[in-house]
Amino acid sequence: MTTNPTRAGRREWTALGVLMLPLLLVSMDVSVLYFAIPAISADLEPSSTQQLWIFDIYAFVLAGLLMTMGSLGDRIGRRRLLLIGAAAFGAASLVAAYAHTAETLIAARAVLGIGGATLMPSTMALVRTMFTDPGQRTKAIGLWSGVMTAGVALGSVMSGVLVEFFWWGSVFLVNLPAMALLLVLGPILLPESKNPNAGRFDLLSVPLSLAAVLPVIYGLKETAAEGWNVRYVMSVTVGLLFAALFVHRQRTSASPMIPPRLFHGHGFTPAVLLNMVAIFGMMGSAYFTTQYCQSVLGKSSLEAALWALLPSVFIGAAGPVSAQLLQRGVPRAYVVAGGFATSACGYGLLVLAGTDSLWLVLAASGVLASGVIAVTAQLADLAISTAPVENAGSASSLVETSSEFGGALSMAALGSIGTAVYHHEMPPSAPAPARETLGGALAVAEQLPGRAGDALAAAAREAFTSGMHGAAVAGAGVLLVAAVA
């Protein structure tokens, strides 16, 4: 005889609201330095390498430790790990805000990445344990997915506003009230949960997971930024070799970090893989539309970020709407397929954009991202609901890690397609820097007299837009295949 799952009440929904605050800030910290970097450079005078690490180390540490922290939460308790991470995140934010050297800021950003790696899988795992009713859990995860996506968009805008009216350290201080609130209310509202039979923590899996994730993320990211290079290909290859060793360790260890039985759940593996494809589609779009608004339309960084908020109106509703469709009896497979098809339509709209199509590009971004959020909300729900509840942290970490891989792969693959089309479309007579990137072409055009500069800038904008079209066609094809799958 089966019993109906307990429906969540006001306490659980209030607890979800408390969880959303740190989740929002962790996702915002991915993009919060977009407008603060110039002010940081003027104040701390970092070298070019230090500036790169200030910007990138947060995402690298976050991606590398997600699996470790998900498994650790299953063992010591997800609420306990969440509160430890919140304390670390708040302390690191305070240090970062008042850093007087580039080295201190880099170290603080690394600790922020560690804190973020504890917060992200812990929040999803706690949602899994608080919401046992399938309909309520689907709705809660839809909200979770919407907040995650909104945070990345809001981070850049918030940094622009804060740097405009205060100083660059203020972009970190905004983390403190939310973390303090979590530390106060978390022990009261959040239930503790862990795997009572998890076994000892497999220390060897920690360096293996880092060695599997970080070289691949690094290689793909640098390929997107600088083009194909033997060094970056070797980095990805080394990462994949360590990934094979990591998988072997999980299959042979008595207490694996990622239990192989997770992948025996019906739908878990497809959910993780399709989640990676969904993020692949969304990040590829963002890569081009951000540059389009700034370099093709000539808007300032803050203007571009503010315009980018418009699609968020539709994005925020996508997760809850997909949950409603599921509750009304629409099969999950159809909701996911429809989300992928919707995202492909967003790429289709992007193919129609010219060099002066702001509203069309914004509409394309909104349609594409809405479809992706509908997909990721359903896939995250499927992944953690099919996984054993005692492994909710590990399952959540795999979903998040697949998102990191999807974003990096998208930047490399679609970015390379766009760059190849740009090179092909630029006239051979153009100066070498102008044939490399749109930014280089605009810089050269400013130095040329009269019509020559205008002609070069116009050709470069046309070439970039053509490259965006090529990437959009490829992205739409990938999403349509995912819809069928």
Side-chain angles (χ1 to χ4, degrees), residues 56 235 245 260 354 365 485:
D56 285 341
S235 178
L245 292 175
S365 299

Side-chain angles (χ1 to χ4, degrees), residues 41 55 112 141 148 156 160 201 214 241 245 256 266 283 292 305 323 367 373 425 437 468:
S41 298
F55 196 86
L112 283 169
I141 292 179
M148 272 289 295
S156 59
F201 187 71
L214 293 183
L241 290 174
L245 292 175
H266 180 67
M283 293 305 294
Y292 178 89
V367 171
I373 295 304
E425 292 293 319
T437 64
M468 183 173 70

Side-chain angles (χ1 to χ4, degrees), residues 18-40:
V18 173
L19 285 177
M20 292 299 99
L21 281 175
L23 181 65
L24 180 68
L25 292 171
V26 168
S27 58
M28 286 171 62
D29 260 47
V30 174
S31 58
V32 78
L33 292 188
Y34 281 179
F35 298 143
I37 280 291
I40 291 173

Side-chain angles (χ1 to χ4, degrees), residues 389-409:
V389 68
E390 60 268 23
N391 299 126
S394 296
S396 302
S397 70
L398 285 174
V399 174
E400 292 303 317
T401 303
S402 74
S403 296
E404 298 294 333
F405 278 119
L409 184 61

